[in-house]
Amino acid sequence: MAECRCRRADQQKDQTVHTGQTDHTVYTGQTGQTDRTKRETEKDRRLAALLEKYREERGALIPLLQGVQEIYGYLPGPAMERIARTLRLPAAQVYGVATFYAQFHFAPRGRHVIRVCLGTACHVRGGARIFEALRRQLGVEDGGTTADLRYTLESVACIGACGLAPVIMIDDDTHGRLTPESLPGILARYE
Amino acid sequence: MKSLMDPCCQRCAHRPETPCREYLRCRTEGPLCHDDEQCRKARLERIEAVEGATPAQRPMQNLIHESRRWRLLLCAGTGCIASGGAPVVAALREVVEERGMSNQVAIVLTGCHGFCEQGPIVVVEPGNTFYRRVSAADVRDIVDTHLIGGQKVDRLLYRLPGGEAVASYPEIPFYARQHRIVLANCGHINPEDLGEYLARQGYRGFLKALAMERAAVIAEVKRSGLRGRGGAGFLTGQKWEFTADAPGEEKYIVCNADEGDPGAFMDRSVLEGDPHAVLEGMLVAGYAIGAREGYIYVRAEYPLAIRRLRTAIAQAEACGLLGENILASGFSFRVYVKAGAGAFVCGEETALLTSIEGNRGMPRVRPPYPAVKGLWSKPTNINNVETLANIPHILRRGADWYAAMGVGRSKGSKVFALTGKVNNTGLVEVPMGLSLREIIFAIGGGIQGGKAFKAVQIGGPSGGCLPESLLDTPVDYESLLEAGAMVGSGGLVVMDESTCMVDIARYFLNFTQQESCGKCAPCREGTKRMLEIVTRITEGEGRLEDLEALEKLAAVIKDTSLCGLGQSAPNPVLTTLRYFRDEYEAHIHDQRCPAGRCAALLTYRIDADKCRGCTLCARRCPVGCITGKPREAYAIDETRCIKCGACLECCKFGAVIRR
C-alpha cells in the first residue's frame, strides 16, 4: 500500500505514537483473545495521541484520516466519530471528505494490496490483460479482498512507472514488464 | 571533514541560528573567513569528487578524488528498483568489500537516469560507462573485469539496433540528442546528500536572487519566458508578479506535485532525483513574492518522492537554508509536505488548495485567482514541480541564456515522458520546438517490433492524439494547441497499428468520468453520456448520428465546465474524431475494429490446416477454452472465449485467426 509508507514517513518525527507497523493480524483471527484486546488498546492509545496532535492544527482532517487508516488499516466508524468530535466538525463533513478520496477505505483490507496500473502506457501495452488474469486468479472484483484477507485487488489510473509497462504494485514494491504468466510467481512471494 | 556540509575546522562560525552570510560560497569555494590551504584543499576535493560527474565540463581523469578511484552510480529511482535494483546494490557492496576496494570505490545511489526501459542502470566513472539491465550476478564481472582488469563488460553495454555496443553514456542516441537542464542532476548525484547538490552549483541561483531586489527577481523570471510546465503554459514570471502585487502580508508558495496524468512521471523523477532543485525554486519564489511558507502537495502514490523531499527539507533546515533568517538575509521560509489522498482533480489549482485546507478537493470558479485569494484566502502562487526546478538554472545562468533555447513564445526545454509502443521509453528533455518525429524516432528509437506508427497521445486526458501526418509538428504550446492537443503534463504515449483509436477515446473518457469531482453538471453528466456513446460504438452498436452527438456534447462540455478537467476532457475524443474518423466509421458501419482491439467485435478461431497441435495456445489460454488432442488441430470454444488474444500471440504457426 503506497499510502502506508508515505504516512509512515509523515509520522517519523512522532516515533512514540507510530511504530510504523501496520498490524493486519487482528482481522485474520489468528491470534488469541487476550492478544487481540491488547492490540486494540494499543491502537486506541495511538488514536488518542494522534487526535491530540492534530486537535488545533488547520487543515488537519486529511492527515488525520490518513493517520487513522494507518493505525487500523481502514476507517472504522467509531474512529470517524471521534475525529468529528475532536475537530468539531459535523460527522457528515468527515464522511464527505473521506468518501471523496480514493485512498480511504471503510472495511478491512487484505494484508497485501495489489494495485494494477491501467494508465495509458499500461493500457497500450496490455495492462487490462494483467488485471483480468489477477481478477480470475484471486476470484475478486476491482476493489475486492480475498476471503482469507491475503490480497486486495485494485485498479489505479497510473503508478508513474510507465517505462516498465505493464506494471503492478504490491504494497510498496513495483513489478514491471509483466506477462500474465509471471503473476503466480510474484503473488507467491506475498504471504 | 567527511561531507561538504561539515565545518572545515574550529574557525567555521556558521550555525543555522546565527547564519553566515557567505555560507554557500564558503562551502563551494573554500573558506572565506580564514586563509587555510588545508581547509580549501579539503573542500575542493569534495567538490571535485562530485563535479567530475559532468563529463563535458571537465575531463575526469585529472580530478579523481585521491582516496576514491571509482565512482559507481546506481539508479535508485522507482523504475530501476522495480526492475531489480536493490539486489544489485547489495551485491555490489558485498563484492567491493570482498575485494578490499571499499576505500577505492564510492557507491552512489542516484535518482532516475530517465532510461527506465534499460534498468537497472549502473554508470561507472571515470569514463561514463553505461551498463544496462544489470543483475546481481553481473556485479562481480563489473568489479573484476572493469575496475580491476580495465576492460569493459561487453555484454552489459547498450547496443544500437545494428548490434554495435556503445560504451559511453553521452554517446547513446537516447541521450545524445537530449538537452538536459531540469534533469541534469538526476542520475548524477545522490539526491539524499545536500553536499552533492551544492557541489553542482546548487543553491547558487537562490544566492543570486537574495542579492537582488524582489522585483528584479520577478523581472528576470519574466524575461526568461518560462511558462508553467504543468500544462496550461501561463507565464511564470507574470503569475509571480500577480501574487507579489496582491494585497496582504501573509502569502504562500505551493508546489503542485500531484502528478496524476496517466503516462507522465517527470515530476516524480525530479522529486526523487533532485529534490533540492525544487526546494531552491520554492525559496526563490518565496523570496520574490514575499511568502514565508511553502507547501508541496505530493501524490500519495509516490512514497519515495515524499521520503526524499522530507530528507531534503530536513537537511536544508539543519544548515539554515530553510527556516528563520536564511543566510543572515532577514528572509525566512519554511516548507511543508502534504500527501494527497488520491484524486486526479486535485491537480487543478483551486481543488488542490481546498484539499490542503482539509476539504473535498473540488475546484471553484476563478476569478478570484489563487494569486489574489488562494490558500486560506491568502494570495498564493502555485507552480508545477518542473517549473520550479527550472528556476535555479534561470537565476544562476541568467534569463538570456534560458530564452535563447526554444522557439517563438515557448522558451527553454521541456521534459517529456516517452512511453507506449516505442523502443526507448523513458524521460526525454529537449529544447521546445523539436518535432514529434525527432523525439519519437531519433530519441525514442522508433516503434517496437518494427510495427507501423499510428498516433501519439500528448498531454494525457487533457491532450489529444495526433496522426502520422502531423509528426513534423514542432512541440511547443501554440503548435500543439492548434493541432487540437496540448503540451499538458508532457506525457507522450506512442501508439502503433494495433491500437484502436476509438478504444483510446473510450479509455480517456472512462478516466475523466471516474475522476470528475461531480461538482458541475457538464463534466459529471456530459462525460458520462459521451462514455456511453463511445462504449456503444466499441461494442458494435454505434449509430450514424452518434458522431454528431459526440461533437455537440464535446463543445458544450468544453464551454461550460467549471475547471480545466472538464474543459479539456473532450479533447481525446475530438482529436480522434478529427484524425481517425474512419476508425469510428468502420466500427459503426461495418461493426469492425480495424486495429483488432475491441473485444466485442472480434472472433478468434484456429485454422485447422495450419495447426500442428503443439498445445501451446491451450496452455496459455487463461480460461481454458481451447481444447484438442496433441499433434491434432485444436479448437476455440467461442462462447467461453474472453478474446484476450493470448493464443494469437503465442502461436508459432500463424494458425490463430482474428476477425
Side-chain angles (χ1 to χ4, degrees):
Chain A
M1 197 159 53
E3 306 91 277
C4 276
R5 202 201 298 177
C6 73
R7 266 173 287 126
R8 241 171 256 160
D10 196 349
Q11 288 141 7
Q12 261 165 7
K13 285 183 211 146
D14 205 343
Q15 291 290 351
T16 49
V17 182
H18 301 288
T19 57
Q21 289 286 313
T22 313
D23 179 7
H24 293 281
T25 46
V26 174
Y27 314 118
T28 64
Q30 287 168 354
T31 45
Q33 193 62 44
T34 10
D35 265 6
R36 189 181 292 197
T37 327
K38 212 159 68 191
R39 283 216 179 83
E40 287 304 329
T41 344
E42 167 62 22
K43 284 180 178 178
D44 288 344
R45 219 177 8 250
R46 284 169 67 190
L47 175 66
L50 189 72
L51 290 169
E52 199 46 51
K53 182 185 165 200
Y54 283 109
R55 187 177 290 275
E56 300 300 332
E57 211 176 294
R58 349 181 240 194
L61 180 53
I62 293 170
L64 198 45
L65 288 170
Q66 288 170 334
V68 171
Q69 189 161 284
E70 167 77 359
I71 296 173
Y72 295 95
Y74 69 107
L75 296 173
M80 295 287 277
E81 279 154 36
R82 284 186 67 181
I83 293 175
R85 276 202 304 275
T86 309
L87 298 180
R88 286 177 226 103
L89 291 174
Q93 190 179 336
V94 177
Y95 273 97
V97 170
T99 50
F100 181 82
Y101 295 100
Q103 191 189 23
F104 299 119
H105 306 281
F106 302 91
R109 313 229 299 150
R111 293 193 292 285
H112 305 290
V113 178
I114 306 173
R115 305 153 137 250
V116 187
C117 182
L118 294 179
T120 325
C122 289
H123 179 78
V124 170
R125 285 200 188 175
R129 271 175 52 199
I130 301 294
F131 184 74
E132 185 62 27
L134 282 167
R135 200 177 65 84
R136 278 168 191 281
Q137 212 164 317
L138 303 177
V140 292
E141 294 301 316
D142 193 359
T145 301
T146 55
D148 59 0
L149 288 172
R150 184 167 167 187
Y151 304 110
T152 293
L153 179 68
E154 263 177 19
S155 67
V156 294
C158 185
I159 289 173
C162 315
L164 307 174
V167 183
I168 64 170
M169 211 167 154
I170 304 186
D171 303 337
D172 280 346
D173 311 331
T174 313
H175 302 273
R177 299 192 195 104
L178 296 171
T179 58
E181 291 78 46
S182 61
L183 293 172
I186 293 173
L187 287 186
R189 283 185 243 159
Y190 296 86
E191 237 336 287
Chain B
M1 189 169 63
K2 284 202 193 82
S3 146
L4 201 56
M5 306 316 295
D6 295 336
C8 55
C9 65
Q10 294 282 321
R11 279 166 289 186
C12 179
H14 172 83
R15 300 285 178 279
E17 53 281 5
T18 52
C20 166
R21 208 175 272 274
E22 298 290 345
Y23 175 63
L24 278 179
R25 276 186 53 215
C26 182
R27 297 288 133 160
T28 47
E29 289 170 21
L32 298 166
C33 62
H34 57 278
D35 199 14
D36 187 324
E37 194 47 34
Q38 200 65 24
C39 292
R40 202 183 64 83
K41 205 170 153 231
R43 281 245 181 281
L44 291 183
E45 275 176 4
R46 300 296 319 174
I47 293 164
E48 281 163 2
V50 181
E51 252 301 89
T54 30
Q57 289 166 358
R58 306 178 185 195
M60 181 74 189
Q61 280 75 354
N62 312 325
L63 290 160
I64 303 161
H65 191 239
E66 276 168 22
S67 58
R68 300 279 173 97
R69 246 198 99 200
W70 303 96
R71 218 171 113 89
L72 262 54
L73 305 174
L74 276 80
C75 179
T78 300
C80 281
I81 293 175
S83 313
V88 175
V89 178
L92 195 61
R93 287 205 172 119
E94 197 189 303
V95 176
V96 165
E97 182 73 27
E98 201 181 286
R99 294 278 183 273
M101 293 173 75
S102 302
N103 51 6
Q104 287 182 55
V105 181
I107 297 170
V108 184
L109 298 185
T110 71
C112 180
H113 289 262
F115 207 178
C116 311
E117 179 81 23
Q118 301 291 333
I121 292 168
V122 176
V123 175
V124 180
E125 293 182 343
N128 261 303
T129 310
F130 184 90
Y131 290 124
R132 24 87 56 183
R133 301 254 165 110
V134 178
S135 72
D138 299 323
V139 165
R140 206 165 288 272
D141 259 6
I142 295 181
V143 175
D144 289 349
T145 314
H146 189 145
L147 303 195
I148 298 173
Q151 297 286 318
K152 287 180 179 159
V153 188
D154 194 62
R155 69 190 160 86
L156 297 175
L157 295 176
Y158 177 79
R159 279 175 200 285
L160 297 174
E164 192 192 335
V166 188
S168 151
Y169 191 124
E171 285 169 33
I172 295 171
F174 177 76
Y175 290 107
R177 287 163 189 266
Q178 291 193 45
H179 197 84
R180 297 195 151 208
I181 296 165
V182 169
L183 298 180
N185 284 340
C186 288
H188 294 284
I189 62 169
N190 176 356
E192 299 187 13
D193 186 344
L194 170 56
E196 297 210 356
Y197 182 66
L198 277 197
R200 303 264 296 199
Q201 303 283 308
Y203 287 103
R204 281 307 183 92
F206 171 56
L207 205 61
K208 246 175 134 176
L210 273 185
M212 292 158 77
E213 291 287 329
R214 289 165 193 266
V217 176
I218 295 177
E220 186 80 2
V221 175
K222 251 171 126 175
R223 211 154 53 82
S224 74
L226 173 69
R227 293 167 70 176
R229 295 294 191 244
F234 193 77
L235 259 181
T236 305
Q238 199 152 25
K239 207 174 188 178
W240 286 19
E241 196 170 57
F242 287 150
T243 321
D245 291 347
E249 278 301 292
E250 216 175 316
K251 290 175 184 174
Y252 296 101
I253 302 292
V254 174
C255 168
N256 185 347
D258 190 72
E259 186 175 52
D261 262 20
F265 55 105
M266 62 285 289
D267 290 351
R268 160 187 220 149
S269 289
V270 172
L271 294 171
E272 286 179 4
D274 200 9
H276 281 289
V278 181
L279 289 186
E280 188 180 352
M282 287 181 81
L283 272 165
V284 175
Y287 172 75
I289 288 161
R292 290 175 54 93
E293 279 181 45
Y295 286 87
I296 306 177
Y297 188 88
V298 203
R299 292 183 78 187
E301 284 85 348
Y302 288 180
L304 186 60
I306 294 176
R307 215 182 66 214
R308 295 231 166 111
L309 271 175
R310 288 186 200 279
T311 308
I313 291 171
Q315 285 171 347
E317 277 175 354
C319 65
L321 287 172
L322 279 177
E324 298 302 308
N325 192 19
I326 297 168
L327 299 178
S329 63
F331 168 60
S332 303
F333 196 71
R334 289 211 173 271
V335 174
Y336 305 95
V337 176
K338 282 267 176 183
F344 176 72
V345 69
C346 287
E348 200 276 342
E349 53 180 19
T350 57
L352 188 153
L353 295 176
T354 354
S355 181
I356 295 184
E357 290 169 3
N359 305 312
R360 289 192 220 177
M362 286 182 166
R364 59 160 176 80
V365 183
R366 301 177 306 176
Y369 286 92
V372 179
K373 204 173 172 199
L375 194 57
W376 289 299
S377 297
K378 306 281 191 244
T380 303
N381 181 74
I382 307 184
N383 287 132
N384 168 263
V385 171
E386 198 188 326
T387 317
L388 287 167
N390 268 299
I391 298 291
H393 299 277
I394 292 174
L395 264 293
R396 185 158 61 80
R397 303 198 225 182
D400 296 325
W401 163 82
Y402 195 80
M405 266 180 304
V407 285
R409 286 175 50 221
S410 302
K411 301 294 186 195
S413 64
K414 170 82 189 104
V415 185
F416 291 98
L418 188 60
T419 60
K421 298 287 183 73
V422 63
N423 277 320
N424 304 333
T425 60
L427 286 185
V428 171
E429 185 170 357
V430 292
M432 284 269 188
L434 215 68
S435 74
L436 283 168
R437 193 185 296 280
E438 279 169 278
I439 296 177
I440 296 165
F441 288 91
I443 297 173
I447 310 301
Q448 277 183 348
K451 287 195 176 163
F453 171 88
K454 184 177 215 171
V456 55
Q457 210 284 339
I458 307 179
S462 318
C465 298
L466 302 183
E468 189 168 14
S469 60
L470 290 177
L471 270 182
D472 292 309
T473 307
V475 181
D476 62 68
Y477 291 99
E478 277 73 31
S479 312
L480 286 182
L481 220 52
E482 206 175 293
M486 228 171 123
V487 172
S489 56
L492 284 183
V493 185
V494 178
M495 294 157 187
D496 67 9
E497 52 195 330
S498 67
T499 315
C500 169
M501 301 315 287
V502 186
D503 177 60
I504 290 295
R506 187 192 57 79
Y507 167 80
F508 280 111
L509 277 175
N510 185 45
F511 178 83
T512 38
Q513 193 262 320
Q514 273 185 7
E515 295 293 339
S516 169
C517 78
K519 187 172 181 177
C520 74
C523 174
R524 183 184 66 234
E525 305 296 332
T527 53
K528 202 182 178 78
R529 291 289 95 82
M530 285 181 83
L531 175 62
E532 279 171 10
I533 297 176
V534 174
T535 307
R536 214 173 54 223
I537 297 176
T538 60
E539 286 166 355
E541 310 279 328
R543 297 190 286 260
L544 200 58
E545 60 273 21
D546 279 346
L547 301 186
E548 215 173 297
L550 278 177
E551 277 167 347
K552 214 165 161 183
L553 270 168
V556 174
I557 295 170
K558 265 177 105 91
D559 286 346
T560 55
S561 287
L562 178 62
C563 79
L565 175 74
Q567 285 157 13
S568 60
N571 284 354
V573 178
L574 285 175
T575 47
T576 45
L577 268 174
R578 185 163 151 193
Y579 300 117
F580 302 94
R581 204 180 189 90
D582 53 329
E583 286 199 31
Y584 281 89
E585 285 168 355
H587 282 77
I588 294 172
H589 297 311
D590 315 332
Q591 277 85 49
R592 189 174 62 85
C593 175
R597 272 291 124 180
C598 295
L601 302 181
L602 299 176
T603 52
Y604 286 85
R605 60 181 192 85
I606 293 175
D607 184 343
D609 292 338
K610 286 187 183 164
C611 180
R612 307 267 185 90
C614 76
T615 75
L616 192 57
C617 60
R619 280 183 284 138
R620 283 283 169 87
C621 177
V623 290
C625 74
I626 306 179
T627 47
K629 286 191 186 126
R631 285 183 292 281
E632 283 174 31
Y634 274 64
I636 297 174
D637 177 359
E638 277 182 36
T639 56
R640 283 163 58 215
C641 173
I642 57 162
K643 297 159 183 177
C644 66
C647 48
L648 181 78
E649 272 170 36
C650 70
C651 183
K652 294 190 183 103
F653 311 105
V656 179
I657 302 165
R658 175 168 67 191
R659 267 221 179 99

